């Protein structure tokens, strides 16, 4: 699903599309209820597609010795989530370091650019599907819980009653959308203001010289 609410899926070898905005502004969406979406045909493929993914162009930056199953970049390009069978890692991409190295003209070895990434957090959960909202990593795990991770802290938002797969997030509606194997599209409310608060406001409590707690941002 893109930022406009357009969803594309493959049903057998047929490529179909729906648009969440087609339900209209007067429609009152209820959490967990199926949306009345009109399906349009885009065409067919000779083979059954196994997945539909966007693969941005770019260079391999740094070799990371992890048994990687999936790699998820944030839209900003500053954060990346690397998922294995049992856990996932959040890394920060040091753009300035990489740019300086590339500008120097020094050839990179098979390990890539040293210090290109900084490991921020590791979480022992399997990621089934995911999406980034700013610096917030939203995913569902092997127990089909819908979680988000901000600053290394994982919060469970909803317990899903069946396998569902993340499509995208529409900031204008403050809703995240998922789809099940029957092509039912479901929405849940997630306040962007709360995510931004947890993302941007990082505080630590210290003691001043008098022994009183103070807040440092």
């Amino acid at each position: 699903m893109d930022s406009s609410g357009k969803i594309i899926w493959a049903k057998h070898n047929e490529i179909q599309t729906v648009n969440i905005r087609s339900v209209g502004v007067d429609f009152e969406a209820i959490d967990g209820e199926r949306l009345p979406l009109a399906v349009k045909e885009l065409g067919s493929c000779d083979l059954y597609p196994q997945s539909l993914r966007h693969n941005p162009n770019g260079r391999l930056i740094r070799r990371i010795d992890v048994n990687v199953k999936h790699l998820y970049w944030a839209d900003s390009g500053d954060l990346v989530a690397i998922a294995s069978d049992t856990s996932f890692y959040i890394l920060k991409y040091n753009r300035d370091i990489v740019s300086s190295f590339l500008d120097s003209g020094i050839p990179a070895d098979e390990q890539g650019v040293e210090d290109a990434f900084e490991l921020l957090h590791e979480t022992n959960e399997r990621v089934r599907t995911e999406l980034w909202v700013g610096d917030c990593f939203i995913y569902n795990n092997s127990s089909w819980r819908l979680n988000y991770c901000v600053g290394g802290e994982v919060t469970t938002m909803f317990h899903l009653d069946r396998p569902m797969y993340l499509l995208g997030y529409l900031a204008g509606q403050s809703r995240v959308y998922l789809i099940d194997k029957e092509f039912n599209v479901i929405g849940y409310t997630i306040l962007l203001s709360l995510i931004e608060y947890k993302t941007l406001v990082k505080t630590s409590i210290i003691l001043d010289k008098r022994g009183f707690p103070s807040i440092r941002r």
Side-chain angles (χ1 to χ4, degrees):
M1 184 176 81
D2 62 17
S3 59
S4 69
K6 183 179 180 181
I7 304 169
I8 298 177
W9 62 53
K11 186 175 183 180
H12 306 302
N13 66 333
E14 300 294 326
I15 308 301
Q16 301 176 332
T17 182
V18 296
N19 197 316
I20 290 175
R21 297 187 185 276
S22 66
V23 298
V25 295
D26 295 331
F27 178 78
E28 185 177 350
I30 301 175
D31 286 350
E33 294 293 328
R34 179 181 179 179
L35 298 177
L37 299 176
V39 178
K40 296 182 180 179
E41 302 287 341
L42 289 183
S44 61
C45 294
D46 294 333
L47 301 174
Y48 283 10
Q50 297 300 308
S51 63
L52 297 174
R53 298 186 63 85
H54 171 68
N55 184 20
N57 294 323
R59 302 178 179 179
L60 283 175
I61 300 296
R62 175 70 175 168
R63 179 176 177 176
I64 299 175
D65 294 323
V66 176
N67 186 16
V68 178
K69 288 189 67 72
H70 295 288
L71 193 72
Y72 311 107
W73 280 94
D75 291 338
S76 65
D78 295 328
L79 294 172
V80 62
I82 299 177
S84 69
D85 283 325
T86 58
S87 60
F88 67 89
Y89 310 83
I90 304 295
L91 291 83
K92 178 183 179 182
Y93 173 48
N94 296 317
R95 190 186 307 272
D96 294 338
I97 292 177
V98 174
S99 297
S100 297
F101 182 90
L102 296 177
D103 291 341
S104 69
I106 300 175
D109 58 21
E110 64 177 8
Q111 294 297 322
V113 181
E114 187 176 1
D115 297 327
F117 292 94
E118 175 187 353
L119 176 62
L120 299 180
H121 313 289
E122 177 182 356
T123 303
N124 295 323
E125 282 197 321
R126 179 185 176 187
V127 175
R128 290 192 177 270
T129 57
E130 60 70 44
L131 60 90
W132 283 94
V133 178
D135 292 345
C136 176
F137 185 65
I138 302 177
Y139 68 98
N140 52 11
N141 62 14
S142 56
S143 300
W144 298 109
R145 294 179 181 179
L146 184 59
N147 299 336
Y148 68 84
C149 178
V150 173
E153 178 185 352
V154 175
T155 301
T156 297
M157 295 178 287
F158 300 102
H159 296 263
L160 305 176
D161 60 358
R162 62 189 181 278
M164 303 197 72
Y165 309 91
L166 281 159
L167 291 171
Y169 180 80
L170 293 185
Q173 299 180 6
S174 297
R175 291 173 69 82
V176 62
Y177 289 93
L178 303 92
I179 190 171
D180 64 15
K181 292 183 179 180
E182 302 300 322
F183 299 96
N184 299 311
V185 177
I186 306 298
Y188 289 97
T189 300
I190 301 178
L191 295 179
L192 182 59
S193 58
L194 176 61
I195 293 176
E196 291 176 340
Y197 177 82
K198 289 191 173 184
T199 302
L200 298 177
V201 180
K202 298 178 180 180
T203 63
S204 61
I205 299 179
I206 60 174
L207 297 179
D208 59 21
K209 293 181 179 179
R210 299 171 297 172
F212 294 106
S214 61
I215 296 179
R216 179 178 60 193
R217 295 189 177 183

